Amino acid sequence: WVGIAGAQQRSPGWGTTRTQLGGPGAFRARRIAVTAQLSLGLVLLSGTALMVRSFTELLSVDRGYTTQGVVSFTVWLYDEYPTAAQLVPFVDRLTERLRAVPGVQKVGMGSALPLADGITGEMADIVVPEAAVTPGQEPQARTTIVSPEYFDVLHIALVRGRLLNADDRATGPPVVVINESFAHRFFAGMDPIGKHIGVGLMGRAVNREVVGVVRDTRHARLDAEPESGAFIPFAQRLLPAITFVVSSSLAAELIMRSLNAAVFEVDPDVGVARMQAMDTLVARQLRPRQFLLVLLGAFAAIAMLVAAVGVYGVLSQSVSERQQEIGLRMALGASPTQVVGTFAREAIVMVAVGLVAGIVIALLSTRLLSSFLYGVAPVDGVSFGAAALVVVTIGLLAAVAPTWRASHVEPTVALKE
């Protein structure tokens, strides 16, 4: 009884009483280390959860076009076909030959592609007669030179008016198709069909009639809002380098070999570049986020594994050091439930402190991820809640085994030792 009273005097609660093996200072240091591991795990899990939500939002965003089953490639015609009289017949022959390739469904062409670094379209000066513009500060729009089939291949939907067609030739009236952002920017509250605008693409502005409006597309970046865009008929603005877009029912690897052979068959001197499945353009845009997501996920998994081992180790050592004390308590009438409660409280304290510290750190650190996030705020309750739930679950599960062992200590064996 004197020993028990002395122990109680030395420590206000049974949960803090222990033998001198390792010393109370060493135990506190171990507990602090485990708490820090739990905090780090929460920070990394929060970042991972944010990246998962952002990645999901980016995958589900409406791009305004399709890339599935579409292959693109560029042909360089600077030297072989320097004049329009030579270029147009060659392009027609090549287009017909590409359509004849087995598995090819549609063939289009243009000066630019969505998400393709370096060929996402030129910025053209836009002149709207109704708008007053300061000279030298003309508004601009991303302008792409396309064939009529370009819209069909990429499934860019028509909103109003008509798409480009075969009648939009060099001898016909200059026309242009604009996107929704262009219409909202320059013709707010008006019907743009039939309006005339000047489009200065690498030269003097040409007066063109707006014949159609198409849906917005995420052209330069998936995580950027759609920008004003215009589409000019290829026949009215010839190009020395043409990018073809081909939709196919075959696998990309198979159709690319056939397309390359078809170009060689029409003219073996024409160079082919950038032949790729358009799905790879989307994957390339997502790659930095994928890398960061995998990196954060791996570190979070390692941190939580170390934290779980730490919780288990601290409680296991605590049970081993206090086996005689547990036996004495149980011999004096303490129930297994009380023993479990004592060690469960130790685990709960470590997890709770780690949780609070981790949330504070995460609130400050996740803002560093803001440039990689899309559609989710750096401080996101769902992501933080999911991370906290994982930390609590892993921390308490790691405490189950040592706590169960403490409740099954045999008093007679412990006292005999």
Side-chain angles (χ1 to χ4, degrees), residues 52-90:
V52 168
R53 290 204 65 198
S54 175
F55 198 74
T56 304
E57 290 287 333
L58 204 57
L59 285 178
S60 61
V61 72
D62 183 8
R63 299 194 294 265
Y65 52 85
T66 185
T67 58
Q68 187 174 4
V70 179
V71 171
S72 66
F73 64 93
T74 302
V75 292
W76 305 96
L77 307 173
Y78 295 97
D79 299 324
E80 300 297 323
Y81 302 94
T83 66
Q86 296 171 310
L87 179 64
V88 173
F90 168 76

Side-chain angles (χ1 to χ4, degrees), residues 21 68 96 155 210 239 360 363 417:
L21 180 61
Q68 187 174 4
E96 289 303 316
H155 292 179
V210 178
L239 294 169
V360 172
L363 287 172
E417 291 178 354

